[in-house]
Amino acid sequence: MILNMFWPLVGLLTLGALNGVTSVAVSRSASSLSGPGFVSSNGNSSIVARMMSPYDTDPDFNPHLNVPDISSDELCARGKTLEDVDANSPGNWYCQKVDQILYTKITKPGTYQEVTFMDNQSGECRFSPREFKGDLAPYNEPLSIIFRGPLRLKQFSVYTPGGGGSSNRIGEYHAASQARNGIMFLGNRGGAGSGVAGGPFGASLSYVSADGLGGASGPQTIHDAPLVSHAEFVVTTDQPCDGSCGYRRPGAVTYKGFPGSARVFMFEFSMPDEPQHNGEAGGNEPAIWLLNSRIPNTAQYNTCNCWASGCGELDIFEILYPGQTKAISTFHLGGDGKSAGDANWLQRPTGGPIKLAVVMDATKGGTVSIKNMGASNGERFGGSLSASQVEGLKAKSGLVSEYVYPNH
């Protein structure tokens, strides 16, 4: 989910003309394709449809079983659409519905500008350069999960590596039982029971109400009910911040992000359609995304954060336009053209819930797999994942978009 302050920038990027709509930056390029022989300008993105054992029998969520191998550029040449066009939007390009997107070579070491001081009264904000490196950098720094409605969140779990290739759960939410283990629900609702508000930075992080629409004076658990448009909350660990979190806005409620480089995120959710909110800013545009925790810990919807200098955001499952049913994924590494994402898309589940698996590991220069597991069977996620289960979650299933992150 692109931060509000950068929406105008993204609108400008969308006007750009880059060849190869399957491996372009935020814009989903508006350039034309010349036919089946067209070659991507990046020359590094391919989709392969593989004959795998069906993981779900619902054709809406696994429509590409038993399809021959085909390249991503050929798929886009055979069919791509410009949608979401109106007076305020130049539109977005979409290619094909896929079951899984596999990003590789996402590790991008470098330097970003971290916040080192904030004055809630004057608005003074100071920065200092911070080097990042290592597997999956900068996505190896602690991450926060952000959810935006309309959303029916049934459960999610976060896992980090154990021994022998297995992974152990470090955080869980289960709506039906109201279990909240190892996690904290926060929101940009400062001044409403906790946190701070007012001044040039707006509302800080605070505890969030159970419906995701307001603040709270203490920890709450998101209720077992639909979250409407404009409901939004941040999920962290339940460990209060210390010096390892970096600078935090004075008065903000802050907790540590999910640590590590290799991580598994499991989600069960639906995203109901709320057409009555289509005319509102941000209405009927659900999303799930990850942010470097230093961003919400300072000022998520203000320039006083490290986003513009590239500390890292990953849109896992985002609806870009009110009422749209095509969810995209995008990596954001700042406002200087280093963002990139696949123009192929996952189906928005407006009816029953699906399960989604996001696996991050260090293979192939840093890999992130985003896989639609199909219609949910209702089973609760387990407390651990064996090595074979982790491999199964990122194994290619159905129509797979393999995207090599471009060099910048």
Side-chain angles (χ1 to χ4, degrees):
M1 205 292 292
I2 300 161
L3 305 181
N4 285 350
M5 55 173 285
F6 295 105
W7 285 351
L9 171 63
V10 172
L12 292 174
L13 286 171
T14 310
L15 295 173
L18 300 172
N19 289 325
V21 297
T22 57
S23 54
V24 298
V26 182
S27 58
R28 309 320 193 253
S29 163
S31 65
S32 62
L33 296 174
S34 58
F38 176 83
V39 178
S40 166
S41 62
N42 291 318
N44 57 10
S45 175
S46 63
I47 294 179
V48 180
R50 291 174 171 79
M51 297 168 62
M52 307 291 290
S53 299
Y55 56 85
D56 187 78
T57 57
D58 183 348
D60 192 37
F61 292 109
N62 194 8
H64 303 297
L65 294 175
N66 302 319
V67 209
D69 291 357
I70 187 170
S71 73
S72 58
D73 290 330
E74 184 176 358
L75 278 173
C76 279
R78 292 179 182 181
K80 66 185 181 74
T81 58
L82 178 64
E83 304 180 25
D84 312 336
V85 178
D86 63 22
N88 300 310
S89 170
N92 299 289
W93 283 100
Y94 300 91
C95 288
Q96 301 297 315
K97 176 164 66 174
V98 297
D99 305 293
Q100 181 181 3
I101 301 174
L102 189 63
Y103 289 94
T104 57
K105 294 189 178 179
I106 66 166
T107 299
K108 294 288 183 284
T111 302
Y112 64 78
Q113 298 295 314
E114 66 172 328
V115 176
T116 57
F117 177 81
M118 300 174 72
D119 188 308
N120 284 330
Q121 300 303 315
S122 68
E124 182 183 0
C125 179
R126 301 175 193 166
F127 297 86
S128 179
R130 174 180 173 84
E131 182 182 10
F132 57 89
K133 58 186 178 180
D135 295 337
L136 293 165
Y139 299 97
N140 56 358
E141 297 198 357
L143 300 174
S144 299
I145 313 171
I146 297 87
F147 296 88
R148 183 178 65 207
L151 180 74
R152 184 71 164 90
L153 184 60
K154 305 291 287 185
Q155 61 173 325
F156 70 85
S157 289
V158 183
Y159 303 83
T160 55
S166 65
S167 291
N168 298 322
R169 185 163 61 194
I170 61 170
E172 175 198 26
Y173 165 72
H174 186 258
S177 66
Q178 287 291 276
R180 177 174 60 83
N181 299 312
I183 65 170
M184 191 63 65
F185 291 112
L186 306 174
N188 291 288
R189 309 285 181 176
S194 58
V196 294
F201 301 128
S204 75
L205 274 183
S206 70
Y207 296 109
V208 71
S209 59
D211 62 4
L213 290 170
S217 59
Q220 304 288 311
T221 300
I222 295 297
H223 61 191
D224 183 19
L227 299 162
V228 300
S229 289
H230 307 300
E232 182 177 306
F233 56 91
V234 179
V235 182
T236 65
T237 71
D238 62 354
Q239 303 170 32
C241 263
D242 55 23
S244 66
C245 292
Y247 186 84
R248 290 97 66 200
R249 179 180 175 182
V253 177
T254 57
Y255 286 78
K256 294 181 180 181
F258 296 103
S261 54
R263 280 158 285 191
V264 177
F265 300 88
M266 296 287 293
F267 304 93
E268 181 187 358
F269 65 94
S270 61
M271 292 179 166
D273 188 23
E274 291 187 350
Q276 68 272 26
H277 295 292
N278 282 355
E280 304 166 3
N284 204 12
E285 295 180 36
I288 302 172
W289 71 101
L290 301 173
L291 282 179
N292 187 313
S293 291
R294 292 172 183 265
I295 298 173
N297 285 348
T298 49
Q300 182 176 341
Y301 292 113
N302 187 274
T303 55
C304 191
N305 61 52
C306 58
W307 189 95
S309 58
C311 59
E313 171 183 346
L314 168 55
D315 299 333
I316 295 170
F317 201 97
E318 180 185 14
I319 300 300
L320 290 173
Y321 191 81
Q324 178 60 264
T325 60
K326 298 172 181 177
I328 60 90
S329 56
T330 308
F331 287 82
H332 295 282
L333 288 175
D336 55 358
K338 293 184 179 180
S339 298
D342 200 343
N344 296 288
W345 49 275
L346 300 171
Q347 178 70 46
R348 173 181 175 177
T350 55
I354 63 168
K355 288 185 176 179
L356 188 79
V358 178
V359 182
M360 309 176 74
D361 65 38
T363 62
K364 297 183 179 179
T367 296
V368 173
S369 168
I370 304 172
K371 182 196 285 190
N372 182 349
M373 303 293 290
S376 173
N377 58 10
E379 292 184 3
R380 189 167 177 175
F381 299 138
S384 63
L385 297 169
S386 67
S388 61
Q389 286 176 316
V390 174
E391 288 301 312
L393 288 174
K394 66 178 182 180
K396 298 166 185 174
S397 300
L399 187 57
V400 183
S401 172
E402 297 185 64
Y403 184 107
V404 181
Y405 201 98
N407 293 321
H408 289 302

